Amino acid sequence: MSKLIIEGCPRLSGSVSANGAKNSVLPILAATLINAGENVIHNCPDLRDVDSAVNILRHLGCKVRREGKTIIVNSSNITRYDIPDNLMREMRSSVIFLGPVLARCGKSSMSFPGGCELGPRPIDLHIDAVKKLGVNVTESGGILECTAGKMTGKDIILPFPSVGATENIILLATACHGRTRIRNAAQEPEIDDLIAFVNKAGGMAARRGSEIEIIGTQTREHTEHTIMPDRIETATYLCMGAAVGGDVEVRNTYPQYVETITEALTQAGAEISVRKDIIRIKRDKPLGSIKPVRTMPYPGFPTDAQAPLMAAMLKARGSSIFLETIFENRYRHVSELMRMGADIKVAGRVAVVEGVTRLFGTKVRATDLRGGAAMCIAAMTAMGKTEIDDIHHIDRGYEKIENVINALGGRALRE
C-alpha cells in the first residue's frame, strides 16, 4: 500500500490549477449511457473514482478510452444492465448509474453502493423517485431489481435536496413520456453541469431556482462536453495556503462557487483576491478564529470542505466551531488530527477547535477522502515528518496531491 510522507514547511508560494470536478465527471460519465453514441468528455481528472466509473461503463458494454484529460465513451452497444457488487462498492456515488441504466435498458440490477464510511447515505429518495416515474423495484439480499413499466413524467417533491437523487431523476426522466418536475431539487453547480451535458445530448432540461424541469425526448448520437473545475479541490488548495502561509494562486477555477470558503478564510485573516478564473490567497500574519461554520446544501457551506477548513484552523488563535448537518460520521478525521497535537472536542455533530501553537509530525491515516486532504494540510504545518497511510481515499478525489504540494514549495513524497 502506498503512503504519503509530508514534511512541514514554513511558507508556500506558486500557482496550481484546479482539475475537472469529481462530482461532475461521475454523473456525466453515467449519463453517456442515455444517448447510444460517442461521447467526448474533456477535462476529466485522473482519479480512482473516475476509474471506477469507467470500469462500470465497460462492464455494461461501452467502449471507453482515455486520451490525456479526455475520455471517449461509445455507448452504442449496451450488452448488460447489471452492475456487480465489487464495482458498486468502489465508490459511494455508484448509485448514479441507476437512472441512466433504466433509461437505456428499461431494467437494472445492482447492489447498494460503497465508498467512504461517512454514515448512512440512504437511497430511499432514489427508489421512491423511480417508483413514481413508473419503475417496479424489488430488493432481495441487498440487490435492487428494477423494471420499467410505462414511464411517465411526474412532479416529484424531494424532502431533502439530495444531489444524487436529483441527478438520477434527471437522467431517468429523459426516457419518460411527458414532463417531469423536480421540486426542492439540489442546486449544486455540478448538477447544472449535468443539465448542460444532457441538453447537448439532445435532452430537454432546465432549472428555475430549486425546480428542475425535464421533458422526455430522443437524444443525439454524438456529444462533446468539458467538465467544470472542481470547487472542492479549489477550496482544499486555498486552505493549504491559509494554513501554511505565503502566496498561492489557484487557476482555472470558478470563484463564485467557493465564496463560502473564501469568506471564512478572509474572516480568519487571509487576504483573498479574485480575477476571472484565478483566486489568490496571501497569508503573512497568524490566523484567527472564525464564525461558526454550519455545513449545508449549496449555496451553503459544503460538507466536503469542512475537513480541509478545520485543518487550516488548527493553529489559529482562539476557538472555531463546526456544525456538521449532512453526514453524521464526518468527523472521523478528528482523532487523527489529535494524534498530531490538535485540540478538538466533538459532541455529536458539533466540533470545537482550539488553536494550538504547534503540531507534530507522526503516523496517521486517511479516514476518508476529505479527511485525507485534512491530514495533508495539517502535515504541511507540523514540525517534522508525517506519514499518511490509506491514501487510496485521497486518490479518489485528488490527482497526485503530492505534486500539488511540491509545486507550491512544500515537501511531499509518495512511497
Side-chain angles (χ1 to χ4, degrees):
M1 296 286 288
S2 297
K3 62 182 177 181
L4 283 174
I5 300 176
I6 299 176
E7 190 172 351
C9 55
R11 181 180 173 86
L12 297 181
S13 179
S15 176
V16 293
S17 294
N19 288 295
K22 165 186 175 287
N23 292 334
S24 179
V25 68
L26 298 181
I28 286 175
L29 284 174
T32 62
L33 293 170
I34 68 174
N35 73 337
E38 185 172 83
N39 302 267
V40 181
I41 314 299
H42 301 294
N43 200 28
C44 296
D46 185 8
L47 306 174
R48 284 175 60 96
D49 273 10
V50 173
D51 292 340
S52 298
V54 166
N55 289 337
I56 291 174
L57 289 171
R58 285 175 173 155
H59 170 81
L60 294 170
C62 297
K63 294 180 180 179
V64 187
R65 70 182 191 275
R66 178 187 275 272
E67 297 177 358
K69 292 289 187 180
T70 297
I71 295 178
I72 299 96
V73 181
N74 189 316
S75 60
S76 57
N77 293 308
I78 300 300
T79 58
R80 309 181 67 114
Y81 61 88
D82 65 302
I83 303 177
D85 182 69
N86 64 307
L87 293 179
M88 288 294 293
R89 287 184 177 275
E90 288 184 5
M91 62 179 183
R92 285 176 68 85
S93 57
S94 54
V95 72
I96 189 57
F97 280 89
L98 177 63
V101 170
L102 280 168
R104 179 67 184 279
C105 303
K107 54 186 175 181
S108 71
S109 175
M110 60 182 63
S111 63
F112 288 87
C116 293
E117 297 177 3
L118 302 178
R121 181 182 280 187
I123 64 171
D124 57 322
L125 296 182
H126 304 249
I127 296 172
D128 290 346
V130 300
K131 285 181 176 178
K132 289 177 181 177
L133 294 176
V135 176
N136 298 313
V137 181
T138 60
E139 178 191 346
S140 178
I143 303 295
L144 289 175
E145 300 283 354
C146 302
T147 304
K150 182 179 179 181
M151 296 194 298
T152 305
K154 298 283 180 62
D155 284 5
I156 297 176
I157 303 174
L158 292 176
F160 176 83
S162 163
V163 172
T166 299
E167 293 166 340
N168 257 328
I169 297 167
I170 290 170
L171 295 175
L172 181 56
T174 62
C176 294
H177 296 288
R179 177 182 286 105
T180 299
R181 277 191 291 258
I182 312 171
R183 295 178 179 171
N184 196 29
Q187 300 184 57
E188 274 69 7
E190 294 81 6
I191 291 179
D192 291 331
D193 206 21
L194 175 63
I195 290 172
F197 172 84
V198 167
N199 289 336
K200 288 179 181 178
M204 297 179 64
R207 175 191 292 283
R208 299 180 191 86
S210 61
E211 181 175 300
I212 296 174
E213 181 179 276
I214 311 98
I215 299 175
T217 183
Q218 292 291 323
T219 54
R220 298 192 184 101
E221 293 186 355
H222 178 79
T223 306
E224 189 167 0
H225 184 76
T226 299
I227 300 297
M228 64 173 284
D230 195 314
R231 60 193 172 99
I232 306 303
E233 186 181 24
T234 297
T236 300
Y237 301 154
L238 292 174
C239 287
M240 280 184 184
V244 181
D247 189 346
V248 170
E249 276 191 350
V250 183
R251 295 176 172 269
N252 301 324
T253 189
Y254 289 166
Q256 67 270 31
Y257 294 148
V258 293
E259 289 179 347
T260 55
I261 294 94
T262 54
E263 180 182 352
L265 294 175
T266 300
Q267 287 176 18
E271 180 183 333
I272 304 284
S273 58
V274 173
R275 68 179 191 277
K276 294 184 178 179
D277 63 347
I278 300 172
I279 306 175
R280 182 181 182 184
I281 181 167
K282 295 177 66 178
R283 202 273 286 174
D284 296 315
K285 298 178 181 179
L287 293 176
S289 60
I290 57 178
K291 296 177 182 178
V293 174
R294 179 187 179 95
T295 63
M296 295 287 286
Y298 189 86
F301 191 93
T303 181
D304 282 353
Q306 176 254 107
L309 180 61
M310 180 182 288
M313 301 308 297
L314 295 179
K315 294 171 68 176
R317 295 173 177 173
S319 303
S320 299
I321 300 173
F322 293 80
L323 174 60
E324 175 59 52
T325 70
I326 308 298
F327 294 120
E328 65 181 42
N329 291 340
R330 205 38 140 164
Y331 293 137
R332 297 176 70 237
H333 57 283
V334 166
S335 60
E336 299 299 302
L337 292 175
M338 291 176 67
R339 288 171 57 85
M340 301 176 69
D343 184 353
I344 308 171
K345 296 178 177 62
V346 175
R349 292 181 178 266
V350 178
V352 180
V353 179
E354 297 283 352
V356 297
T357 57
R358 291 184 180 86
L359 295 173
F360 302 93
T362 186
K363 291 185 177 181
V364 294
R365 66 185 185 90
T367 55
D368 55 78
L369 168 55
R370 307 305 173 183
M375 295 298 109
C376 294
I377 294 170
M380 296 168 71
T381 69
M383 297 176 63
K385 295 182 179 180
T386 300
E387 291 187 14
I388 307 175
D389 288 319
D390 293 344
I391 62 172
H392 60 278
H393 289 300
I394 300 174
D395 292 338
R396 288 186 45 240
Y398 297 92
E399 183 177 319
K400 297 180 177 62
I401 197 170
E402 67 274 17
N403 290 349
V404 173
I405 294 171
N406 292 329
L408 294 176
R411 296 183 284 268
L413 174 68
R414 180 182 293 251
E415 287 189 348

